[in-house]
Amino acid sequence: QVQLVESGGGLVQPGGSLTLSCATSGIIFSIYLMGWYRQAPGKQRELVARIFSGGSTYYAASVRGRFTISRDNDKNMVYLQMNSLKPEDTAVYYCNAVATLGPGDYWGQGTQVTVSS
Protein backbone atom coordinates (compact mmCIF):
# COMPACT_ATOMS: atom_id res chain seq x y z
CA GLN A 1 0.00 0.00 0.00
CA VAL A 2 1.36 3.37 -1.06
CA GLN A 3 1.40 6.10 1.56
CA LEU A 4 2.58 9.69 1.44
CA VAL A 5 2.34 11.46 4.79
CA GLU A 6 3.07 15.16 5.10
CA SER A 7 4.02 16.91 8.33
CA GLY A 8 5.43 20.20 9.50
CA GLY A 9 2.64 22.59 8.66
CA GLY A 10 1.36 25.21 11.05
CA LEU A 11 0.90 28.88 11.77
CA VAL A 12 3.83 31.21 11.18
CA GLN A 13 4.27 34.95 11.04
CA PRO A 14 5.17 36.72 7.81
CA GLY A 15 8.89 36.48 7.23
CA GLY A 16 9.11 33.24 9.17
CA SER A 17 10.17 29.77 8.14
CA LEU A 18 8.74 26.28 8.09
CA THR A 19 10.00 22.93 6.89
CA LEU A 20 7.55 20.42 5.48
CA SER A 21 8.35 16.73 5.37
CA CYS A 22 6.81 13.93 3.34
CA ALA A 23 7.37 10.35 4.38
CA THR A 24 6.71 7.77 1.70
CA SER A 25 6.19 4.03 1.80
CA GLY A 26 5.13 1.37 -0.67
CA ILE A 27 6.99 2.85 -3.65
CA ILE A 28 10.43 2.48 -5.17
CA PHE A 29 11.30 5.99 -4.10
CA SER A 30 14.35 6.38 -6.32
CA ILE A 31 12.33 6.18 -9.56
CA TYR A 32 9.78 8.77 -8.50
CA LEU A 33 9.66 12.43 -9.36
CA MET A 34 8.66 14.11 -6.10
CA GLY A 35 6.78 17.36 -5.89
CA TRP A 36 5.08 19.77 -3.56
CA TYR A 37 1.81 21.39 -4.61
CA ARG A 38 -0.44 23.79 -2.77
CA GLN A 39 -4.06 24.81 -2.88
CA ALA A 40 -5.39 28.00 -1.37
CA PRO A 41 -9.11 28.48 -0.65
CA GLY A 42 -11.01 29.13 -3.86
CA LYS A 43 -7.98 28.50 -6.04
CA GLN A 44 -6.71 25.61 -8.14
CA ARG A 45 -3.95 23.36 -6.92
CA GLU A 46 -0.61 24.62 -8.18
CA LEU A 47 2.88 23.20 -8.45
CA VAL A 48 5.31 24.70 -5.94
CA ALA A 49 8.47 22.68 -6.53
CA ARG A 50 9.63 19.31 -7.80
CA ILE A 51 12.77 17.28 -7.62
CA PHE A 52 14.02 14.43 -9.79
CA SER A 53 15.79 11.40 -8.43
CA GLY A 54 19.16 12.79 -9.44
CA GLY A 55 18.51 16.06 -7.64
CA SER A 56 17.47 18.37 -10.44
CA THR A 57 14.86 20.83 -9.24
CA TYR A 58 12.16 23.14 -10.52
CA TYR A 59 10.45 25.96 -8.66
CA ALA A 60 7.42 28.06 -9.37
CA ALA A 61 8.37 31.68 -9.94
CA SER A 62 6.43 32.76 -6.87
CA VAL A 63 8.65 30.75 -4.50
CA ARG A 64 11.99 30.69 -6.30
CA GLY A 65 14.73 31.94 -4.01
CA ARG A 66 12.63 31.43 -0.88
CA PHE A 67 11.77 27.72 -0.93
CA THR A 68 14.12 24.76 -1.24
CA ILE A 69 13.05 21.23 -2.10
CA SER A 70 15.26 18.29 -1.20
CA ARG A 71 15.03 14.53 -1.00
CA ASP A 72 16.70 11.71 0.88
CA ASN A 73 16.65 8.60 -1.28
CA ASP A 74 17.87 6.46 1.64
CA LYS A 75 15.07 7.55 3.97
CA ASN A 76 12.39 7.82 1.24
CA MET A 77 11.68 11.37 2.33
CA VAL A 78 11.16 14.68 0.58
CA TYR A 79 11.33 18.09 2.22
CA LEU A 80 10.31 21.64 1.52
CA GLN A 81 12.21 24.35 3.36
CA MET A 82 10.17 27.54 3.24
CA ASN A 83 11.77 30.85 4.17
CA SER A 84 10.58 34.45 4.04
CA LEU A 85 6.99 33.26 4.13
CA LYS A 86 4.26 35.58 2.92
CA PRO A 87 0.52 35.61 3.62
CA GLU A 88 -0.04 34.54 0.02
CA ASP A 89 1.82 31.30 0.79
CA THR A 90 -1.13 30.27 2.96
CA ALA A 91 -2.53 27.02 1.57
CA VAL A 92 -2.81 23.31 2.06
CA TYR A 93 0.46 21.78 0.87
CA TYR A 94 0.43 18.37 -0.77
CA CYS A 95 3.19 15.91 -1.46
CA ASN A 96 3.08 14.18 -4.86
CA ALA A 97 4.95 11.20 -6.28
CA VAL A 98 5.00 10.44 -10.00
CA ALA A 99 6.75 7.37 -11.36
CA THR A 100 9.32 8.02 -14.08
CA LEU A 101 9.13 4.36 -15.11
CA GLY A 102 5.67 2.83 -15.52
CA PRO A 103 2.43 3.99 -13.92
CA GLY A 104 2.17 5.64 -10.53
CA ASP A 105 0.82 8.99 -9.39
CA TYR A 106 0.18 9.39 -5.67
CA TRP A 107 -0.83 12.17 -3.30
CA GLY A 108 -0.61 12.78 0.40
CA GLN A 109 -3.46 14.07 2.51
CA GLY A 110 -2.04 17.58 2.79
CA THR A 111 -0.79 19.81 5.58
CA GLN A 112 -2.05 23.31 6.33
CA VAL A 113 0.34 26.24 6.23
CA THR A 114 -1.00 29.56 7.48
CA VAL A 115 1.08 32.73 7.29
CA SER A 116 -0.46 35.45 9.39
CA SER A 117 0.41 37.98 12.05
Side-chain angles (χ1 to χ4, degrees):
Q1 182 181 1
V2 178
Q3 285 191 313
L4 279 66
V5 180
E6 301 97 336
S7 61
L11 174 64
V12 63
Q13 292 187 342
S17 298
L18 279 176
T19 299
L20 305 182
S21 300
C22 175
T24 73
S25 59
I27 60 173
I28 303 174
F29 186 76
S30 62
I31 70 166
Y32 276 76
L33 167 63
M34 300 301 300
W36 286 97
Y37 287 72
R38 66 187 181 188
Q39 187 167 19
K43 294 187 177 181
Q44 289 189 332
R45 190 174 297 189
E46 63 176 359
L47 174 64
V48 175
R50 57 173 40 154
I51 184 168
F52 290 84
S53 179
S56 298
T57 57
Y58 165 84
Y59 296 93
S62 60
V63 307
R64 197 171 296 136
R66 299 188 298 122
F67 290 10
T68 302
I69 189 171
S70 61
R71 64 189 291 162
D72 186 329
N73 288 339
D74 292 328
K75 295 182 178 178
N76 297 344
M77 298 280 296
V78 63
Y79 307 94
L80 186 68
Q81 173 68 43
M82 304 185 294
N83 298 326
S84 302
L85 283 161
K86 305 175 181 180
E88 52 263 43
D89 294 318
T90 296
V92 178
Y93 283 71
Y94 296 91
C95 180
N96 173 248
V98 176
T100 57
L101 295 173
D105 188 348
Y106 305 102
W107 293 88
Q109 82 288 349
T111 186
Q112 177 70 47
V113 172
T114 302
V115 184
S116 175
S117 56

